[in-house]
Every structure is written in structure tokens, then in C-alpha cells.
Amino acid sequence: FIVRTQTMETRVLGTEFNFRSYADEPAQVALVKGLVEVSLPGTSTKTSIHPGQSAAVGKSGKIHVNHVDVDAYTYWREGLFYFDNCSLPYILKEIGRWYNVDVELRSKRLAALNLHFVADRHKPLAYTIRLLNQMEQMEAHLVGGRLIVE
């Protein structure tokens, strides 16, 4: 089968992969097992990726292939947020998407942090906020349906 977005087509030739597509980010596919072929719609440009690789279309319109830790792309199936060496803004964006809350990061210092963070997605937002605060690098709290981190 084929997964299509405006910027990328992924032909599934294998059995296990993760596909992300959000309006504010480039579409991305990460391969766990098997083989997938990534192409640019309306062109003959295509490339195959192998387990442990991801592909995304950059701003230049070219397909970029990178080696990745596939665990970071599959722990969601076990009900976990799993971030390893990820920026705090990226982590907060994912938490905001999951819990459907707006996020406000009020610190430039914190915006530069890369963190390892794991949490159970099935627990309430208050649990995830508690874990963020236990890192002792920030203070996170919910104000009127908005997650504030400072």
C-alpha cells in the first residue's frame, strides 16, 4: 500500500514502520522492519530506506535519509512517550498534541535543553506535569487549560 501526503509518498514494501505527518512539520517515515520506498509526488525521485533509517522531505524538496533509534518511534505502541536527547520544545509540542492543550514555554534557557523523558501516555496530564517537575530543571503547571513551563 501507499501512504500519500502533499510532499511525500511512501510505498510500503515491509511490515513495520512509523509515519508522522503534521501540518507544521515535514512528513517523516521511520522503518523498524522490512523495506519502504519513499518518493516525491509527480516526480521519478525515490529512495528505499532500511531498518533503522528515517526519511523526510526537507525544505529544499529533497528526500533526506538519516539513521535513527527506532525505539523512539515505536514506544507509543506500548503507551509511552519516549524522547531521547530531544529538545524541550519538541517534547512539549508532543505532550500538547496528546493532551490537546496549548503549551507556553517561557524560558529561552529551557528552550535550548535536550532531554531524555519517558512517561505513560495513558495517565492524566497531571502525572506528566509531575514527571516534568521532578526533573528539577523547570516548573510546569496548568493554568486555564494551558500548560505553562518556566
Side-chain angles (χ1 to χ4, degrees), residues 82-150:
Y82 178 87
F83 304 100
D84 190 39
N85 196 30
C86 291
S87 73
L88 181 58
Y90 178 79
I91 293 169
L92 294 174
K93 181 186 256 186
E94 291 298 307
I95 290 170
R97 281 181 178 149
W98 181 256
Y99 291 106
N100 196 28
V101 296
D102 290 328
V103 176
E104 184 178 338
L105 180 58
R106 294 182 172 174
S107 167
K108 288 183 182 182
R109 177 188 64 83
L110 292 175
L113 280 180
N114 280 3
L115 302 169
H116 179 80
F117 182 74
V118 180
D120 186 337
R121 288 176 178 256
H122 301 299
K123 301 247 178 167
L125 176 57
Y127 162 84
T128 303
I129 290 172
R130 194 168 43 254
L131 291 179
L132 288 168
N133 289 332
Q134 285 176 355
M135 298 176 89
E136 297 182 358
Q137 297 186 50
M138 69 198 80
E139 184 175 329
H141 49 278
L142 199 58
V143 176
R146 184 180 201 84
L147 177 58
I148 307 294
V149 180
E150 43 197 358

Side-chain angles (χ1 to χ4, degrees), residues 57-68:
V57 178
K59 290 180 181 179
S60 65
K62 294 182 181 180
I63 299 170
H64 297 279
V65 176
N66 295 301
H67 291 278
V68 295

